[in-house]
Amino acid sequence: MNQAKELRGALLGLLVGYAIAVFLAMVVSGSPSTVLLKAISVLFDPYSLQINMSSVRYLLSLWGPVGLAALGLTLCFRARFITIAAEGQILIGMLITIWLLAYVVSDLSPLLGIAIAILASAFAGATLGTIPALLRAYFGANEILVALMVNLTVTILVSEIVSTHLRIGAHVITKSIPDHFRLCELSVLVFLISALALVWFIESRTSLGLIVKVFGSSRRTALTYGVNEAKLFLKLGVLAGALAGLGGALAALSFQHFLSAKLPIGFGYSGVLSAWLSGFSPPIALASSLLLSYIRLWAYAMMVEGVPEGFVLGSQTIIVVSALAGAYAMRSLNKEVKALV
Amino acid sequence: MFEALISIAQLTVDMFTPLAILAVGETVLQRTGRANLGLEGFLALGASVAVVATAYSDNQFIGLFSAALAGALFSALYTALTTYLKFNQFAIGLLIGFLGLGLADLIAIIPDKPIGRPIESGSLIHLSLQVLPLVVAVIAFLVLTKTWIGVEIRAIGANPAIARERGLRVNEVRAVAATIEGLLAGLAGAYISLALFGGKYWTGMTMGLGWVALGCVILGYWNPIGAVLASYLIGSLKASRPYLGALGVPGWVADVSPYLATIAVLCAVGLLLKKRPQLKPPYFET
């Protein structure tokens, strides 16, 4: 009952946040009426009321990296292993996929090429995932700060590789993935559902899932009963990293077919926020990542109307913080009512 | 050789004063057990607000004051969400950082005249801003180590739960520390737009200094003076990029070295703690 009320508060806050973001976009854009119209009709045509399939397809593509990163992180966060390395893992996944398919194995059959790229990206993501896990387990280094530094290092290295080794011509831009390797949006959905099933299976049907739950609720108890913290964090870091790396590969295969000087940012951090907002529940993490992807899609549409680029990230914050505040307000209200009774 | 060193030192002080200002502010906040991952947004907001304020008022003091005020207001939002509403400090830090980046872009397109009044190199304001991190670092160091308020701050950072039990004003102290950090971050942003880039603002002008500052705090081992020294050390490494290039060292090595050094220090801290627990850094609640 209380959870339902909190959810209602969160939804109300979400709408208020969306209204604030729309208002801000209207104020700064050259055409407020168009902004208002797009605010309510990103996914459908406002005149014929038909679904705008290209927007829906793009939304599904954007959902891929965010959703996959969020799914892996739900397990990490549940075990109180708060890594935020997904940003770098997604970026490295994109880079490896583009490098392999556009430069190395561009003449392979589509199935084989895509399989190689996906495996390599997942492996790279998993490798990056081990860094915060190992340093936390063996050195007690704060995994959030380590992951942040890893993200920044990866961003600089990817940027360097794009602007030197993979650059073609005068502009800083890589080759594009050939058409025959590109995936349709439905395949992104298939990957998301498969990953959800995998995470659900691990969480509820394996000993790792049980250990995660025990460790999350009481670290001391888990350690007393012989749980190996280093091994646990390593497994979770590898799993979350592989999923985020896979997300990067999917992004490259579905919508980000090349990289330029301006690297695509924020997908990993959106995944972190989705996992955190979900209360570590995989299905809710998928739902919240869809919401954040929708906000991103809407903000991209606003950019066409002259709203600056930073608005993409800013609007996300306004909406998420409003939703959180709504849930909090409802929770506080409940407590006060209970106290009065 | 000597000329090159002088040139590097000058460039370091000119370019990386904002980094030092940011690092001191973040150190003060982190000593209370709070880490603000959104510094990049604070910096961008300060830069943008300073440009708009000076564009309208044609007065640099108003620009600096507005930027500091914007930073302080943003800190109030951070404090409200993390300290009073008890949301996860790291997630909120990132969110507020993104909001700062977004708002900075939005604010910057408001004025008809998009260029603010720059701070001339060598002017009194310019020199004052360059001295600011050193002065604040010394004051913060003395407060932290020689006063009761410092003991209170360190106690809160070491173990907030026990500090609360002992009757210390955890929330209030954290709010004040966050406000100081916000003020300084706003000023650092104003320095970037008004003193470094001639009163202009554009997306990405903060050069990732907000992220580097987080590393400087750790490299300085949560000591305000150490953080300033770490900032100038990293700054000099970045400033010596052209010279390193001439020696055959790729530019990206200078770019990634602060982050790798931070990771190394975090590991070293872990190892040290096993032998000397009194060196324990602040405890960050998650």
Side-chain angles (χ1 to χ4, degrees):
Chain A
M1 189 66 183
N2 284 349
Q3 273 186 338
K5 278 189 179 167
E6 270 186 41
L7 188 67
R8 224 180 299 156
L11 286 174
L12 193 67
L14 195 101
L15 289 175
V16 172
Y18 193 53
I20 294 171
V22 170
F23 176 73
L24 280 176
M26 283 170 70
V27 169
V28 295
S29 122
S31 49
S33 55
T34 319
V35 166
L36 189 61
L37 199 63
K38 278 203 173 164
I40 52 173
S41 62
V42 179
L43 296 178
F44 63 89
D45 184 76
Y47 301 108
S48 63
L49 291 179
Q50 280 185 338
I51 291 174
N52 184 345
M53 282 317 287
S54 65
S55 294
V56 172
R57 280 202 296 269
Y58 194 43
L59 175 64
L60 282 178
S61 307
L62 292 174
W63 191 18
V66 182
L68 285 172
L71 281 173
L73 290 173
T74 53
L75 282 178
C76 294
F77 289 2
R78 193 177 277 265
R80 294 178 189 268
F81 173 54
I82 317 289
T83 172
I84 56 169
E87 184 76 12
Q89 290 158 346
I90 288 178
L91 208 52
I92 204 88
M94 279 185 202
L95 179 82
I96 286 185
T97 302
I98 291 169
W99 172 65
L100 279 172
L101 299 183
Y103 292 81
V104 182
V105 294
S106 52
D107 47 356
L108 271 186
S109 71
L111 199 63
L112 194 59
I114 290 171
I116 290 173
I118 281 176
L119 284 175
S121 303
F123 179 75
T127 309
L128 275 186
T130 59
I131 299 172
L134 286 174
L135 298 187
R136 158 80 195 265
Y138 291 109
F139 295 95
N142 183 310
E143 71 272 25
I144 301 173
L145 295 172
V146 170
L148 183 66
M149 298 302 143
V150 169
N151 287 343
L152 295 167
T153 306
V154 168
T155 307
I156 289 171
L157 292 180
V158 170
S159 180
E160 175 69 18
I161 291 169
V162 168
S163 58
T164 53
H165 301 293
L166 301 188
R167 178 183 184 154
I168 45 163
H171 297 288
V172 178
I173 193 165
T174 65
K175 277 188 197 171
S176 202
I177 291 179
D179 287 345
H180 60 278
F181 287 126
R182 295 180 186 182
L183 283 180
C184 71
E185 297 72 19
L186 273 181
S187 41
V188 174
L189 197 60
V190 171
F191 273 103
L192 280 171
I193 293 169
S194 313
L196 176 64
L198 173 75
V199 171
W200 173 82
F201 180 78
I202 291 173
E203 198 182 23
S204 54
R205 292 282 184 271
T206 65
S207 57
L208 177 64
L210 183 66
I211 291 170
V212 164
K213 281 179 203 157
V214 174
F215 204 89
S217 49
S218 172
R219 177 174 178 263
R220 193 167 287 181
T221 310
L223 292 177
T224 308
Y225 279 93
V227 170
N228 186 331
E229 189 180 35
K231 238 188 222 175
L232 175 66
F233 287 169
L234 196 61
K235 281 179 191 170
L236 293 178
V238 165
L239 180 73
L243 284 175
L246 174 64
L250 284 188
L253 292 167
S254 60
F255 68 96
Q256 187 71 46
H257 304 304
F258 61 89
L259 289 174
S260 64
K262 199 163 177 45
L263 294 175
I265 55 159
F267 289 103
Y269 291 131
S270 294
V272 171
L273 288 177
S274 306
W276 176 59
L277 284 173
S278 71
F280 321 143
S281 152
I284 300 178
L286 265 195
S288 55
S289 59
L290 180 63
L291 172 74
L292 293 188
S293 306
Y294 171 79
I295 295 170
R296 184 179 281 268
L297 177 75
W298 172 72
Y300 284 160
M302 294 297 100
M303 278 167 67
V304 180
E305 302 307 322
V307 175
E309 188 193 345
F311 187 71
V312 177
L313 292 170
S315 57
Q316 191 167 294
T317 303
I318 293 170
I319 295 168
V320 170
V321 169
S322 303
L324 287 172
Y328 179 84
M330 210 47 105
R331 204 185 310 148
S332 307
L333 209 65
N334 264 349
K335 275 183 195 163
E336 277 175 23
V337 170
K338 272 185 189 167
L340 282 174
V341 172
Chain B
M1 179 66 181
F2 186 68
E3 277 175 14
L5 287 177
I6 295 284
S7 154
I8 289 170
Q10 198 171 356
L11 197 62
T12 303
V13 175
D14 277 347
M15 292 286 293
F16 295 97
T17 291
L19 179 63
I21 298 175
L22 267 184
V24 176
E26 179 68 12
T27 305
V28 172
L29 180 66
Q30 288 201 8
R31 288 307 289 253
T32 67
R34 283 268 178 265
N36 180 3
L37 300 191
L39 278 179
E40 190 73 5
F42 279 67
L43 204 55
L45 186 72
S48 164
V49 167
V51 169
V52 175
T54 52
Y56 278 116
S57 66
D58 203 29
N59 185 322
Q60 295 146 332
F61 285 107
I62 292 180
L64 291 174
F65 177 76
S66 311
L69 188 67
L73 286 175
F74 234 49
S75 289
L77 180 63
Y78 172 81
T79 304
L81 293 170
T82 55
T83 303
Y84 293 102
L85 300 192
K86 309 251 183 274
F87 293 136
N88 182 298
Q89 56 168 322
F90 296 106
I92 290 297
L94 281 176
L95 275 171
I96 288 196
F98 294 155
L99 181 63
L101 293 171
L103 279 184
D105 280 6
L106 289 183
I107 289 168
I109 59 171
I110 292 173
D112 300 328
K113 190 178 76 169
I115 298 177
R117 187 168 172 202
I119 294 173
E120 292 84 19
S121 180
S123 65
L124 186 64
I125 303 180
H126 192 242
L127 292 175
S128 309
L129 282 171
Q130 289 190 333
V131 175
L132 181 71
L134 299 171
V135 174
V136 177
V138 171
I139 294 172
F141 177 77
L142 292 175
V143 169
L144 278 170
T145 54
K146 306 283 180 205
T147 67
W148 275 108
I149 300 169
V151 174
E152 200 171 333
I153 291 172
R154 284 185 285 142
I156 290 168
N159 195 327
I162 289 179
R164 202 169 273 126
E165 265 177 28
R166 303 295 297 177
L168 297 185
R169 302 157 298 173
V170 177
N171 291 353
E172 288 79 358
V173 169
R174 282 178 167 170
V176 171
T179 307
I180 292 170
E181 189 217 25
L183 286 168
L184 290 172
L187 284 176
Y191 181 95
I192 290 179
S193 59
L194 300 183
L196 287 182
F197 296 113
K200 292 177 199 151
Y201 173 85
W202 65 87
T203 308
M205 76 182 310
T206 50
M207 307 170 287
L209 290 184
W211 304 115
V212 182
L214 290 167
C216 293
V217 175
I218 298 162
L219 291 178
Y221 207 80
W222 293 275
N223 179 321
I225 296 174
V228 170
L229 292 178
S231 307
Y232 287 128
L233 182 73
I234 286 172
S236 61
L237 202 63
K238 287 194 172 233
S240 57
R241 225 173 166 232
Y243 301 98
L244 289 174
L247 293 172
V249 180
W252 60 265
V253 174
D255 290 339
V256 300
S257 51
Y259 307 126
L260 296 182
T262 304
I263 293 176
V265 170
L266 280 169
C267 296
V269 169
L271 285 181
L272 267 178
L273 280 179
K274 283 180 186 161
K275 290 174 188 165
R276 299 175 69 183
Q278 71 272 27
L279 287 173
K280 198 177 168 198
Y283 168 72
F284 301 112
E285 291 160 300
T286 49

